[in-house]
Amino acid sequence: GAGVSQSPRYKVTKRGQDVALRCDPISGHVSLYWYRQALGQGPEFLTYFNYEAQQDKSGLPNDRFSAERPEGSISTLTIQRTEQRDSAMYRCASSLGGDSLQFFGPGTRLTVL
Amino acid sequence: GEDVEQSLFLSVREGDSSVINCTYTDSSSTYLYWYKQEPGAGLQLLTYIFSNMDMKQDQRLTVLLNKKDKHLSLRIADTQTGDSAIYFCAESITGATNKLIFGTGTLLAVQP
């Protein structure tokens, strides 16, 4: 596609529910990143994929957060048993390779009630 | 540790120059970036500079890097109302991941 796309753009859920956020990277980009951005803050790194391999998940805050990229293209970030503190903008970025420029999608605004 | 700091707010008049400053702590950064965030939009990559460069100019944008002081700045010449946004500086950490460490962002308000 022309750019990174994310869906849904907005997600409102109740505390305790699971959510799945989707990222569709730029075609041909092998590297994919997830970041989380709290209100008034800059994005913070969550996890990184090279093709389908999750090579760095050091930024995932706890084991309720997981991500996958089974075919090396689309990625899903899943948050289980959501809590109010999970409310944030979740941003996905892709790049041609691990040392290339990262291009961001529009983000998914998650609100946990 | 890794930390990137920016001033929170800058107000300028249309037509003036804007200078947004950033300091970072990781001396092993390979690239430093400026991203622009407009309301309701994603993060747009504005420009970047390799860590062995001092300056980079791209149309109205000038990036200055003082590696000794770990200080990065973005100068926008002839600032327009359309430049109003939040500007984030970011550094990439050397290593397999190339993850970005972002500052907290500077809100640029351009007064007509």
Side-chain angles (χ1 to χ4, degrees):
Chain A
V4 179
S5 60
Q6 293 184 245
S7 62
R9 293 290 308 276
Y10 302 90
K11 177 69 178 177
V12 180
T13 190
K14 291 184 179 179
R15 189 177 50 188
Q17 297 294 307
D18 297 350
V19 295
L21 312 180
R22 172 184 163 131
C23 172
D24 197 345
I26 294 172
S27 179
H29 280 196
V30 303
S31 296
L32 186 146
Y33 302 79
W34 284 98
Y35 293 83
R36 179 169 70 172
Q37 184 177 9
L39 202 61
Q41 300 294 318
E44 291 185 337
F45 170 78
L46 293 177
T47 187
Y48 160 68
F49 289 86
N50 184 41
Y51 294 98
E52 72 281 359
Q54 188 174 20
Q55 296 196 336
D56 187 341
K57 52 182 182 179
S58 62
L60 295 178
N62 51 61
D63 60 8
R64 294 187 297 106
F65 286 73
S66 62
E68 62 175 9
R69 193 187 185 197
E71 297 178 3
S73 180
I74 293 168
S75 177
T76 302
L77 177 70
T78 301
I79 309 172
Q80 295 179 310
R81 305 181 303 281
T82 52
E83 301 178 4
Q84 285 186 326
R85 60 178 172 155
D86 299 333
S87 296
M89 176 73 82
Y90 288 83
R91 297 195 183 273
C92 173
S94 70
S95 69
L96 274 173
D99 59 351
S100 303
L101 301 176
Q102 294 181 32
F103 296 92
F104 283 79
T108 295
R109 168 73 67 189
L110 174 66
T111 302
V112 183
L113 302 176
Chain B
E2 306 151 352
D3 196 18
V4 179
E5 294 190 354
Q6 300 177 238
S7 53
L8 291 180
F9 181 73
L10 175 66
S11 179
V12 299
R13 289 196 178 276
E14 192 173 16
D16 288 349
S17 292
S18 308
V19 179
I20 303 171
N21 296 299
C22 170
T23 57
Y24 61 98
T25 56
D26 195 314
S27 58
S28 66
S29 298
T30 49
Y31 286 92
L32 295 125
Y33 306 85
W34 285 102
Y35 281 85
K36 177 182 181 182
Q37 180 179 314
E38 295 179 273
L43 282 168
Q44 175 194 353
L45 177 62
L46 270 184
T47 187
Y48 62 96
I49 188 168
F50 189 50
S51 58
N52 68 354
M53 296 172 62
D54 297 324
M55 185 182 85
K56 180 180 179 182
Q57 187 149 4
D58 183 1
Q59 299 182 337
R60 291 191 299 122
L61 305 178
T62 303
V63 179
L64 294 177
L65 175 61
N66 181 327
K67 198 169 182 181
K68 174 177 170 288
D69 294 338
K70 298 191 181 74
H71 183 266
L72 181 74
S73 68
L74 173 69
R75 179 178 181 270
I76 306 173
D78 187 25
T79 312
Q80 303 297 307
T81 54
D83 295 324
S84 294
I86 301 174
Y87 290 80
F88 292 95
C89 71
E91 58 175 343
S92 62
I93 304 302
T94 304
T97 300
N98 197 40
K99 65 182 180 183
L100 297 179
I101 306 297
F102 284 85
T104 51
T106 299
L107 174 62
L108 174 64
V110 183
Q111 310 300 324

